[in-house]
Amino acid sequence: MTLAVSVPEELSARVPVEQRGPGLDRDAVRLLVSRGTEVSHHAFAELPRLLRAGDLLVVNTSPTLAAAVDGHVGHARVVVHFSTRGDDGRWVVELREPDGKGTTRARTRGPAGSEVRLPGGVRLVLEEPVSACGERLWWARAAGAGVLGMLREHGRPIRYSYTERDQPLSVYQTVFALPSADGSGSAEMPSAARPFTARLVAELVSRGVQFAPITLHTGVASQEAHEPPYPERFSVPEASARLINAVRAGDGRVVAVGTTAVRAVESAVGPDGVVRARAGWTDLVVTPERGVRVVDGLLTGLHEPEASHLLMLEAIAGRAAIDRGYDEALRGLYLWHEFGDVHLLLPEEDPHTEHCSSNCR
C-alpha cells in the first residue's frame, strides 16, 4: 500500500503546543475525526463528547527513556539511540552522526566489532545487524557501568530535525506513563497519548468512558528508512484483558490510543476472539489481510505515511477513510509529528442507533 503524501515543512509541529502561547495545555491541539469517509474537525478537548459512556480507551503506560547519548567511534563523534533491551542483556542500537544543528543524520554502519565509547565508562561493542535486510539497527553488548544508569545521567530524549530545540524528558512523558520495575521504557514517546491531561481523563471517567492500561515499549523509528516494525516487549494485564472482553460483549467500543496499543491487544487475542493476559515479545504486523479482532477505533498522531503504519490504519478503518483523512489533514493545515495534532478513527455510525452527538451536554 502506498499513499503519496508530501508534508510541507511548515506543518511540522516544532515545539509542544503548551509552548506556543500563554495558557495552553497539552489538550490544546486539534482533533480530526473520521467515521468512514465522513470527516469532522474538533478541538482535542471535545473528546469526552465524541465518545460514549461504555467506550473503552486502551492506553500505553510505557515511560519514555532519555535514549540518545553522545559517544565516539575512534575519533569520530556519534550519537547512539538505544532502542530495545534483549533478554540476553544486549541492546538494539542505532548509530547516527551529529548534523551540527543539534539533531542527527543517518550514518554508515558497522562493521561488526566496532567499539563505541560512551559517558560513565560504558563501552558498547556492535555484534550483528538486527535484520539481514539492512544495517541501520545493531545488536550491541555493553561493558562497564549499566546502560540505564548511564542514560539517566547522560542521556536525552531522541529528537529529530523537524523539532526546534531539545526538550526536557518530562515533555516526552504521557499522563499514563508509569515507571517499570526493571527500568525499561520506550525509545520514543507513545505520542498519541500526549494530548491527554489529568483534567481531561477525569472528565472522560465522569462521562462513563473507561481505561484499560497495557504496556508496549517502543523502539526507535527511522526518518530515512521505513522497515517493518521490529519485535517489541509488551504486556496485557489480566484486569485489562477482562475489561476489554466485557466491553466487546456489550455495546461499548474499544478504541486504542496509538498504534502501540493496537499491536499489544491484537497480540493478546486468541483464535476464539478472547483477549487473555499475556506478556513477552510481539512481532505482529497488523495488515488488512490479517485484520483487527479487538479494536473498533484508533486515536493516532499524524505522521508521514509509511507502509506498516498505513497497513494498520487501513485494517482498522479501510483505505477510503485513510485517503480522505490524510487529504483533510493537509487541506486543514493540521500539524504533524509527536507534538502535533491527532486523528480519531471511529466506526461508521449505524443510522438506526441513537446516541449523544458532539453537541450534547
Side-chain angles (χ1 to χ4, degrees):
M1 174 183 178
T2 58
L3 183 61
V5 173
S6 177
V7 181
E9 185 177 347
E10 61 269 20
L11 293 187
S12 293
R14 297 178 60 78
V15 296
V17 63
E18 63 271 22
Q19 297 178 14
R20 296 179 207 153
L24 297 179
D25 206 342
R26 290 186 175 206
D27 58 6
V29 296
R30 299 169 67 194
L31 176 64
L32 182 74
V33 179
S34 292
R35 296 182 179 89
T37 55
E38 177 189 340
V39 174
S40 56
H41 304 270
H42 304 268
F44 187 78
E46 295 179 63
L47 182 65
R49 299 192 295 274
L50 294 166
L51 299 176
R52 309 174 191 167
D55 284 347
L56 177 69
L57 293 174
V58 181
V59 296
N60 189 356
T61 64
S62 177
T64 307
L65 299 177
V69 66
D70 297 319
H72 288 84
V73 175
H75 296 293
R77 291 179 58 218
V78 297
V79 177
V80 181
H81 289 177
F82 282 83
S83 179
T84 304
R85 183 169 59 177
D87 293 334
D88 60 359
R90 296 189 301 171
W91 281 83
V92 175
V93 301
E94 179 184 20
L95 268 61
R96 296 178 68 86
E97 291 181 353
D99 63 3
K101 303 174 184 177
T103 52
T104 60
R105 56 177 171 254
R107 180 183 185 276
T108 304
R109 315 297 167 217
S114 295
E115 183 180 84
V116 186
R117 302 189 310 279
L118 298 172
V122 175
R123 292 181 179 269
L124 198 66
V125 178
L126 303 185
E127 292 192 348
E128 59 184 341
V130 171
S131 169
C133 300
E135 296 188 351
R136 183 176 71 89
L137 298 178
W138 283 73
W139 282 109
R141 192 172 297 278
V147 168
L148 289 171
M150 183 266 297
L151 292 179
R152 282 192 297 270
E153 185 172 352
H154 301 285
R156 60 186 179 276
I158 291 174
R159 174 191 159 206
Y160 292 110
S161 59
Y162 50 77
T163 55
E164 186 174 287
R165 57 181 177 270
D166 284 345
Q167 298 283 350
L169 184 59
S170 59
V171 165
Y172 290 88
Q173 303 293 6
T174 75
V175 72
F176 305 110
L178 295 172
S180 56
D182 62 358
S184 297
S186 288
E188 298 184 4
M189 171 177 55
S191 57
R194 191 182 190 279
F196 285 88
T197 62
R199 180 184 63 250
L200 189 68
V201 170
E203 184 179 353
L204 285 160
V205 170
S206 73
R207 289 174 174 266
V209 176
Q210 304 177 84
F211 289 83
I214 57 86
T215 302
L216 186 140
H217 298 313
T218 67
V220 296
S222 168
Q223 300 304 298
E224 295 83 23
H226 296 304
E227 306 100 332
Y230 291 92
E232 294 170 316
R233 194 189 300 274
F234 81 105
S235 172
V236 176
E238 177 67 32
S240 292
R242 290 183 181 181
L243 187 53
I244 292 167
N245 291 327
V247 169
R248 295 182 68 232
D251 296 328
R253 298 170 296 184
V254 176
V255 178
V257 177
T259 57
T260 60
V262 177
R263 197 181 200 195
V265 297
E266 293 291 334
S267 298
V269 64
D272 57 359
V274 175
V275 177
R276 294 177 174 84
R278 189 176 170 196
W281 293 86
T282 177
D283 59 2
L284 176 66
V285 179
V286 177
T287 65
E289 291 72 28
R290 188 267 187 191
V292 287
R293 302 169 187 170
V294 181
V295 301
D296 302 301
L298 170 65
L299 180 72
T300 183
L302 294 166
H303 303 276
E304 279 96 344
E306 47 90 7
S308 62
H309 179 78
L310 283 174
L311 288 171
M312 179 182 288
L313 268 58
E314 184 182 359
I316 294 168
R319 176 62 185 266
I322 305 309
D323 287 346
R324 177 71 190 283
Y326 271 75
D327 287 345
E328 285 292 314
L330 289 171
R331 187 178 296 112
L333 303 180
Y334 279 69
L335 295 181
W336 296 58
H337 303 301
E338 65 267 29
F339 297 144
D341 299 316
V342 281
H343 187 190
L344 177 61
L345 301 164
L346 291 174
E348 293 186 72
E349 298 293 354
D350 183 342
H352 301 293
T353 302
E354 293 184 2
H355 66 279
C356 183
S357 73
S358 63
N359 294 321
C360 293
R361 296 294 186 270

